C-alpha cells in the first residue's frame, strides 16, 4: 500500500553552523509551520548533529519531524566522535539518512557499515532513509543496476535479520546528479524505482517501502518530477537551504 503522505526530506548537510541553524529556523518558523499544514505533506529536516535537539524542540508544536544525517554502526563503546542511534532517539529523531554518497565517498562507508547502521536504527525505532545510487563512471560503464542491486540487497538483508515486516525509506540519488543540476529522465527514475522495489521485495516480501528521489531537485524541475508514479517524495539538498526555493518545491 502506498504512503498517504508525500515526503520532503531536507538535507542541510554541514552547510549551517549551530548559530545559523537557529537563525534560519527563527526566520522561517511561521512559514515552515504553514508548509506542514499542506494536506498529505510531511516535512523532515536533517540538520547536523549539534542542531538536532534544538530543531526538534523548536518545531515540536508542528508536525515537522527531524532526521539525522548518519549514525554509528555500533551500539555504544570506545568510538570517539560517533553518535549512537539510541542518543538520536533520546533527542527525538524519527528518521536518519544512511549511506549518503558523501558518507560512502568521503568517509569510506561500505555496504556493510550501512547494513549495521540500519539495524541500529531499527532497534531504536528510527526510520532509516537508505541512500543508493551510482557514480558517473558507473553509469557510463552501464553498471547502474548492478550497483543499486548490491546496495539495496545489503540494506534489506540487514532489515531481514531484524524483522520480517518493516518500513524503510529508500532514496535513489544518482551521485552524478547531486549538486550538479543534471537529472535522469522521469522514465529512467521510474525504471530504477521499479527495480529497487523488485530487489527489496525479493529479499523481504513484506517490506514496506517509501521511495524517494534525490539529486538536484529544485523549484524549476519539481513539477515534472512530481509526475513520476510510485514516487513518495524527494530528498532535497542545496535547494532546502533557501526557504523560498524549498517552499516552491513543496507547494
Ligand atoms: C543530496 O545531497 O542528498 C542532494 C539531494 O543534494 P542536491 O539536492 O543539492 O543535489
Amino acid at each position: 500500500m502506498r504512503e498517504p503522505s508525500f515526503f520532503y526530506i531536507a538535507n542541510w548537510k554541514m552547510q549551517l553552523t549551530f548559530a545559523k541553524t537557529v537563525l534560519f529556523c527563527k526566520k522561517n518558523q511561521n512559514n515552515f509551520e504553514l508548509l506542514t499544514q499542506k494536506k498529505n505533506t510531511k516535512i523532515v529536516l536533517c540538520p547536523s548533529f549539534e542542531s538536532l535537539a534544538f530543531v526538534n524542540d523548536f518545531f515540536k508544536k508542528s508536525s515537522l519531524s527531524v532526521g539525522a544525517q548518519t549514525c554509528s554502526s555500533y551500539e555504544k563503546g570506545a568510538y570517539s566522535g560517533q553518535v549512537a542511534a539510541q542518543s538520536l532517539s533520546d533527542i527525538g529523531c524519527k528518521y536518519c539518512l544512511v549511506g549518503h554518497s558523501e558518507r560512502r565517498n568521503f568517509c569510506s562507508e561500505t555496504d556493510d557499515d550501512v547494513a549495521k547502521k540500519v539495524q541500529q536504527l531499527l532497534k531504536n525505532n528510527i526510520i532509516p532513509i537508505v541512500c543508493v545510487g551510482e557514480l558517473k563512471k558507473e553509469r557510463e560503464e552501464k553498471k547502474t543496476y548492478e550497483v543499486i542491486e548490491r546496495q539495496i540487497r545489503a540494506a534489506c538483508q540487514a532489515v531481514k535479520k531484524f524483522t520480517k515486516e518493516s518500513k524503510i525509506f529508500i532514496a535513489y540519488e544518482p551521485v552524478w546528479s547531486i549538486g550538479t543540476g543534471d537529472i535522469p529522465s522521469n522514465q529512467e527514475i521510474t525504471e530504477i524505482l521499479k527495480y529497487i522495489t523488485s530487489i527489496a521485495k525479493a529479499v523481504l516480501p513484506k517490506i514496506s517501502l517509501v521511495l524517494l528521489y534525490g539529486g538536484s531537485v529544485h523549484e524549476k524541475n519539481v513539477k515534472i518530477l512530481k509526475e513520476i508514479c510510485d514516487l513518495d517524495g524527494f530528498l532535497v539538498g542545496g535547494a532546502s537551504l533557501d526557504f523560498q526555493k524549498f517552499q516552491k518545491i513543496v507547494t
Side-chain angles (χ1 to χ4, degrees), residues 3 6 8 12 14 24 53 56 73 83 105 108 112 116 121 134 139-140 154 181 198-199 209 215 217 228:
E3 264 293 315
F6 200 82
Y8 298 87
W12 289 352
M14 200 181 73
F24 189 71
N56 189 52
S73 46
V83 178
N105 297 334
S108 310
D112 190 42
K116 288 182 179 138
L121 292 168
E134 78 286 5
R139 176 177 163 89
E140 285 163 1
S198 70
I199 299 295
L209 296 175
V217 175
I228 298 172

Side-chain angles (χ1 to χ4, degrees), residues 11 13 100-102 173 177-180 214-217 235-239:
N11 180 8
K13 310 194 182 189
H100 189 281
S101 61
E102 285 151 15
E173 295 213 297
S177 173
I178 294 179
T180 60
S216 294
V217 175
L235 178 49
V236 187

Side-chain angles (χ1 to χ4, degrees), residues 19-242:
K20 286 191 174 149
T21 303
V22 172
L23 281 178
F24 189 71
C25 291
K26 287 188 174 164
K27 187 171 168 219
N28 299 301
Q29 179 175 18
N30 293 340
N31 289 332
F32 264 125
E33 287 174 0
L34 279 177
L35 271 193
T36 62
Q37 286 163 21
K38 193 180 167 222
K39 202 166 169 252
N40 294 340
T41 299
K42 183 80 191 141
I43 293 174
V44 180
L45 300 180
C46 302
S48 43
F49 282 134
E50 74 284 1
S51 301
L52 282 166
F54 166 79
V55 177
N56 189 52
D57 198 48
F58 191 80
F59 288 110
K60 67 171 176 275
K61 290 199 184 109
S62 74
S63 63
L64 204 141
S65 296
V66 162
Q69 297 172 15
T70 186
C71 70
S72 177
S73 46
Y74 303 102
E75 189 174 328
K76 65 174 199 162
Y79 302 106
S80 303
Q82 300 201 27
V83 178
Q86 190 175 357
S87 300
L88 298 176
S89 166
D90 288 350
I91 60 168
C93 263
K94 299 271 182 297
Y95 300 86
C96 182
L97 302 179
V98 202
H100 189 281
S101 61
E102 285 151 15
R103 302 283 318 169
R104 292 182 193 261
N105 297 334
F106 302 137
C107 306
S108 310
E109 217 164 272
T110 63
D111 289 331
D112 190 42
D113 297 325
V114 171
K116 288 182 179 138
K117 289 175 189 215
V118 165
Q119 288 186 333
Q120 290 299 327
L121 292 168
L122 293 176
K123 255 192 224 169
N124 288 285
N125 293 317
I126 297 175
I127 297 179
I129 304 172
V130 180
C131 303
V132 300
E134 78 286 5
L135 301 165
K136 187 168 197 280
K137 185 168 177 286
E138 291 166 336
R139 176 177 163 89
E140 285 163 1
E141 290 170 356
K142 306 214 176 319
K143 290 188 174 151
T144 299
Y145 284 80
E146 187 187 315
V147 169
I148 286 171
E149 175 165 353
R150 197 196 68 225
Q151 294 173 335
I152 294 290
R153 277 193 190 281
C156 292
Q157 291 289 0
V159 178
K160 191 177 177 180
K161 281 190 194 141
F162 184 77
T163 168
K164 298 282 166 277
E165 269 177 84
S166 185
K167 172 152 94 174
I168 64 165
F169 284 40
I170 295 180
Y172 171 51
E173 295 213 297
V175 184
W176 50 271
S177 173
I178 294 179
T180 60
D182 295 334
I183 54 169
S185 66
N186 279 12
Q187 195 190 337
E188 279 175 285
I189 298 173
T190 305
E191 281 165 14
I192 287 176
L193 295 182
K194 263 197 202 133
Y195 190 66
I196 288 174
T197 307
S198 70
I199 299 295
K201 296 257 180 205
V203 177
L204 197 50
K206 286 193 177 162
I207 199 164
S208 149
L209 296 175
V210 175
L211 298 172
L212 311 175
Y213 168 76
S216 294
V217 175
H218 56 67
E219 74 288 4
K220 296 200 181 83
N221 58 22
V222 74
K223 195 163 177 266
I224 292 174
L225 288 166
K226 279 183 180 173
E227 288 169 7
I228 298 172
C229 305
D230 297 331
L231 190 67
D232 302 300
F234 297 113
L235 178 49
V236 187
S240 70
L241 290 155
D242 176 327

